[in-house]
Amino acid sequence: MSRAFNFCAGPATLPEAVLKQAQDEMLDWRGSGMSVMEMSHRSEAFIEIAETAEQDLRELAGISDDYAVLFMQGGASSQFSAIPLNLLGDRTGADYINTGIWSKKAIAEAARYADVNVAASSSDQGFSTVPDPSTWNTRADAAYLHYTPNETIGGVEYDFIPECGDVPLVADLSSTILSRPLDVSRFGLIYAGAQKNIGPSGLVVIIVRKDLLGKARPETPTMLNYQVIADNGSMYNTPATYSWYLAGLVFKWLKEQGGVAAMGELNERKARKLYDFIDANEFYANPVDPRYRSWMNVPFTLADEALNADFLKGADERGLLNLKGHRSVGGMRASLYNAMPEAGVDALIDYMASFARERG
Ligand SMILES: *Cc1c(COP(=O)(O)O)cnc(C)c1O
């Protein structure tokens, strides 16, 4: 059996070396006589797995001791409500930038708890760009400013970190975390669902500046209270142990690859190859403002939509899987996360070229 190139937006492809290691360790983790899945989360073995994963993530992302790292559950979407509940404190207002579907979901959930000000939106541009920061209508007394550095569905990625003075910056980094170097110290809180660049779905990683802890509203569910989760080493209840372990294997793998600097170079090269090909070939198009094209998620359309099904069928036959675009935007989307090798992008471009030649 050979592995396909899986371009799924999430759950997404994982490094083959990681899956093999998990396979090797499945029945007996390092002489413990059991699978990680069967271990007590209070056992010495699991504590070591958990602490090593956190340590490796701290090294990879350059996270200082000023920040707590939390391994929570419920995916990134659970954080859409956890963030206002924990960070509003004695304030009522929160600012959000709307650049697409994930921003909108975060805004809708926050509006249940906060006076939400959408400080800028690219909705008039069909969410194909990032609004010029000089036009942002942010408030100096907002509890935080939330934005979505990479819109996974629209394929729009910021190439800058917003400036917001003393207002804590909150980022949904689900689909771009660890894909390139990032100055964590600029953020109040970073969160990321694991199933794009980290590991299995369900797990969500939160990196939060410690001075922002301890302000949760009284009605905050205990399981969403960052202070409680931090005080308990992310083990207030039974954590997602196996996902945490797998995330740890991915972090080790990333370190072996040369860390986020090396990933950034590789990811830029992969994305550039694909965009260059799309721009040079009349049969394909990408609608995003070139400056803000995502390195992780590349949406594209065919000149003749009637050929979409044939394109996908031919791709499947070549082991190029899950290229169908999100149901809300149609067309195609190739997700090129860390674990997608450059050979996968080359194979995709070969196929796209031959399809355009034969059918375009
Ligand atoms: C996938 C994704 C989410 C949702 O993640 P879940 O784990 O399914 O809740 C949120 N934000 C962004 C940017 C995403 O890519």
Side-chain angles (χ1 to χ4, degrees), residues 81-345:
S81 34
I83 287 162
L85 282 166
N86 280 277
L87 300 191
L88 280 169
D90 53 11
R91 307 196 177 201
T92 51
D95 287 351
Y96 279 71
I97 309 301
N98 181 11
T99 46
I101 290 174
W102 288 115
S103 302
K104 278 203 242 180
K105 290 201 169 180
I107 289 166
E109 194 65 16
R112 295 156 61 87
Y113 311 98
D115 153 31
V116 169
N117 166 42
V118 178
S121 168
S122 57
S123 133
D124 287 350
Q125 290 82 40
F127 295 121
S128 63
T129 189
V130 170
D132 180 344
S134 69
T135 67
W136 294 9
N137 174 31
T138 49
R139 302 176 292 191
D141 64 345
Y144 58 88
L145 170 66
H146 179 284
Y147 80 117
T148 311
N150 184 64
E151 285 283 357
T152 319
I153 294 170
V156 173
E157 185 163 12
Y158 287 64
D159 66 350
F160 64 94
I161 299 176
E163 294 284 352
C164 48
D166 291 338
V167 174
L169 184 61
V170 174
D172 176 359
L173 228 62
S174 293
S175 49
T176 182
I177 192 167
L178 300 174
S179 69
R180 56 164 104 182
L182 185 76
D183 180 0
V184 170
S185 73
R186 301 272 304 273
F187 295 85
L189 185 147
I190 287 169
Y191 64 109
Q195 69 273 28
K196 280 84 184 219
N197 255 336
I198 292 180
S201 60
L203 182 72
V204 53
V205 174
I206 292 98
I207 302 164
V208 56
R209 225 171 57 211
K210 287 176 183 166
D211 64 284
L212 298 174
L213 297 175
K215 296 195 289 186
R217 296 224 166 147
E219 69 269 28
T220 305
T222 308
M223 282 294 296
L224 292 184
N225 187 317
Y226 296 147
Q227 181 76 65
V228 173
I229 304 302
D231 287 346
N232 288 278
S234 299
M235 297 194 193
Y236 174 77
N237 77 329
T238 317
T241 52
Y242 198 76
S243 300
W244 194 334
Y245 153 76
L246 219 78
L249 297 187
V250 171
F251 298 150
K252 278 266 186 280
W253 177 83
L254 281 170
K255 285 173 77 178
E256 286 161 19
Q257 307 308 302
V260 290
M263 292 324 295
E265 281 170 30
L266 174 66
N267 288 325
E268 181 177 21
R269 197 164 67 235
K270 285 173 353 194
R272 192 170 302 280
K273 260 189 187 179
L274 185 51
Y275 287 118
D276 283 352
F277 170 79
I278 289 170
D279 288 344
N281 193 306
E282 279 178 11
F283 187 70
Y284 300 102
N286 166 278
V288 177
D289 179 351
R291 173 169 169 193
Y292 296 115
R293 284 172 164 178
S294 169
W295 291 3
M296 295 286 100
N297 310 97
V298 182
F300 62 92
T301 52
L302 277 51
D304 179 0
E305 290 216 338
L307 292 175
N308 282 358
D310 284 1
F311 178 89
L312 289 167
K313 184 162 173 282
D316 274 2
E317 285 164 8
R318 283 164 185 75
L320 306 170
L321 306 184
N322 291 312
L323 286 162
K324 193 173 189 312
H326 190 267
R327 59 188 183 279
S328 65
V329 294
M332 308 296 156
R333 173 176 48 170
S335 293
L336 313 180
Y337 300 120
N338 285 338
M340 172 57 65
E342 194 163 357
V345 179

Side-chain angles (χ1 to χ4, degrees), residues 5-7 270 320 336 340-350:
F5 290 119
N6 178 9
F7 294 93
K270 285 173 353 194
L320 306 170
L336 313 180
M340 172 57 65
E342 194 163 357
V345 179
D346 293 338
L348 173 61
I349 291 172
D350 276 353

Side-chain angles (χ1 to χ4, degrees), residues 42-53:
R42 311 278 179 210
S43 65
E44 229 172 87
F46 187 76
I47 301 276
E48 183 195 321
I49 289 169
E51 286 178 352
T52 305

Side-chain angles (χ1 to χ4, degrees), residues 6-61:
N6 178 9
F7 294 93
C8 191
T13 190
L14 285 163
E16 188 169 323
V18 164
L19 296 176
K20 284 206 168 118
Q21 186 179 347
Q23 181 178 47
D24 284 347
E25 297 178 340
M26 176 62 78
L27 297 184
D28 175 12
W29 185 81
R30 302 189 194 169
S32 66
M34 64 183 77
S35 168
V36 174
M37 243 181 286
E38 303 166 301
M39 278 176 194
S40 163
H41 55 299
R42 311 278 179 210
S43 65
E44 229 172 87
F46 187 76
I47 301 276
E48 183 195 321
I49 289 169
E51 286 178 352
T52 305
E54 176 177 335
Q55 200 45 48
D56 285 338
L57 174 61
R58 283 182 180 276
E59 274 175 45
L60 275 170

